[in-house]
Amino acid sequence: MGLGAIDLNLLVALEALLEEKNVTHAGVRLSTSQSAMSGSLARLRRHFNDELLIRVGREYELTPLAERLLPVVQASLYKAEEALSLTRHFDPARSRQRFSVVMSDYVMTVFVEPLLRVIAAEAPGVRIDFHPIVDGQLETETHLRCHDLMIVPLGYQLPGVSEAVMHDRFVCLVDPGNPRLVDGRLSLRDLAEMPHAACAIGKSLTPADRQLETLGITPKVQVSTPGFSVLPFLVSGTDLVTLVPERLARRYEGFARCAVVEPPFPDVPLVEAMYWHHNRHADPAHSWLRETVRRVGASLSEPGVAASPAEPLITEPSAEPAIDDADDSHGDRAFPELSAAS
């Protein structure tokens, strides 16, 4: 059957249906009604003489043919979009493009303001819809297809294309009156014994959590939140300690009752990266957005150690030293074998 005998728009519907494995979700993604997507699925089933999606319990699964079709359809649409974008031109000063960007509350706090200043100056008609990270977004490719960019910590191994855009490091936050705070410092024993307020994003540990784990410390988490921004207010007036990115800590230092404290271990870097789906890579508008994000990230001054994304964030110790030995007088040389990442 030649290409002229079928509606090529069905390929777009086919890709959405196979990736989402759900008629309603595919319709939302393509801004199409459920009945229209059901109609597209019926036409596709007749064309391929295959169910494509079969119900298993309350979910749908791909048939063997659908499993084989998915990568072929993805590659075909990517090539089609790449070919069509070759002659496109994007003028930011005249554009009224609307972008969708997912980022953590921490990135929103420190990155959005300078980004919006640049966009207001260069592309006043451009609109960006910012979305928070929700459960499950860091484990699948689906959300990369639904948004133009996701700015999340490097290391989540999201599929697609990625590039580091901002570096930070972790510091401790406590109430200034916390009795554990001696001469403005905390020890490893303090971190092992104090109750913690922690950030839980997805299923992965933060780099600071991994560092504590490496040191043999299991934090006594008394309260957890899905983001970093509320943590300074949980620390204020309590005996809690938390580890947060320094940029965020400095933002809240002036109006949340908390003290920024150097951690009693080598710097733990945090690298934020932008991720995007490969099907947007050649789009001129998307290229402009990535370049703008890249410039804003480069313009932010480094608060501490900058980490290379190609290197591991934590250097494993050759042995597990005891907290008592390492803490001695809050010494600067605690765990000297744990060299700071660079």
Side-chain angles (χ1 to χ4, degrees), residues 101-105 108 130-135 137 147 150:
V101 179
V102 173
M103 55 178 61
S104 68
D105 64 326
M108 287 187 185
F130 294 105
H131 303 274
I133 298 172
V134 298
D135 286 345
Q137 275 188 324
H147 301 282
M150 292 182 70

Side-chain angles (χ1 to χ4, degrees), residues 306-319:
S308 168
E311 298 177 357
L313 297 184
I314 298 173
T315 303
E316 296 287 347
S318 57

Side-chain angles (χ1 to χ4, degrees), residues 100-250:
S100 177
V101 179
V102 173
M103 55 178 61
S104 68
D105 64 326
Y106 153 64
V107 178
M108 287 187 185
T109 301
V110 303
F111 201 88
V112 167
E113 180 186 349
L115 175 62
L116 292 182
R117 285 202 304 267
V118 172
I119 290 175
E122 299 181 6
V126 164
R127 171 174 172 175
I128 299 187
D129 297 325
F130 294 105
H131 303 274
I133 298 172
V134 298
D135 286 345
Q137 275 188 324
L138 302 181
E139 283 82 41
T140 72
E141 183 184 35
T142 298
H143 291 88
L144 273 183
R145 299 191 62 87
C146 297
H147 301 282
D148 293 289
L149 284 179
M150 292 182 70
I151 303 179
V152 299
L154 197 67
Y156 278 101
Q157 303 304 317
L158 275 169
V161 189
S162 65
E163 179 183 335
V165 294
M166 185 175 71
H167 301 78
D168 207 340
R169 66 180 187 124
F170 282 88
V171 294
C172 300
L173 278 184
V174 295
D175 184 89
N178 195 305
R180 292 274 189 172
L181 196 59
V182 178
D183 296 328
R185 307 183 73 178
L186 294 171
S187 68
L188 287 173
R189 175 168 291 282
D190 292 329
L191 294 185
E193 296 179 351
M194 294 172 71
H196 283 243
C199 171
I201 301 177
K203 299 178 182 178
S204 300
L205 297 174
T206 68
D209 292 332
R210 292 199 295 271
Q211 177 71 303
L212 291 178
E213 187 179 73
T214 300
L215 296 171
I217 296 175
T218 301
K220 298 177 180 178
V221 178
Q222 192 172 88
V223 59
S224 64
T225 71
F228 284 110
S229 294
V230 74
L231 292 176
F233 300 99
L234 297 180
V235 161
S236 179
T238 71
D239 59 351
L240 294 168
V241 63
T242 189
L243 291 112
V244 300
E246 185 178 18
R247 294 182 195 275
L248 182 139
R250 299 299 180 190

Side-chain angles (χ1 to χ4, degrees), residues 291-332:
E291 174 59 26
T292 303
V293 169
R294 189 179 298 121
R295 285 190 286 124
V296 170
S299 71
L300 296 174
S301 59
E302 297 293 340
V305 172
S308 168
E311 298 177 357
L313 297 184
I314 298 173
T315 303
E316 296 287 347
S318 57
E320 291 188 9
I323 292 176
D324 285 334
D325 297 335
D327 265 347
D328 190 22
S329 300
H330 297 196
D332 285 330

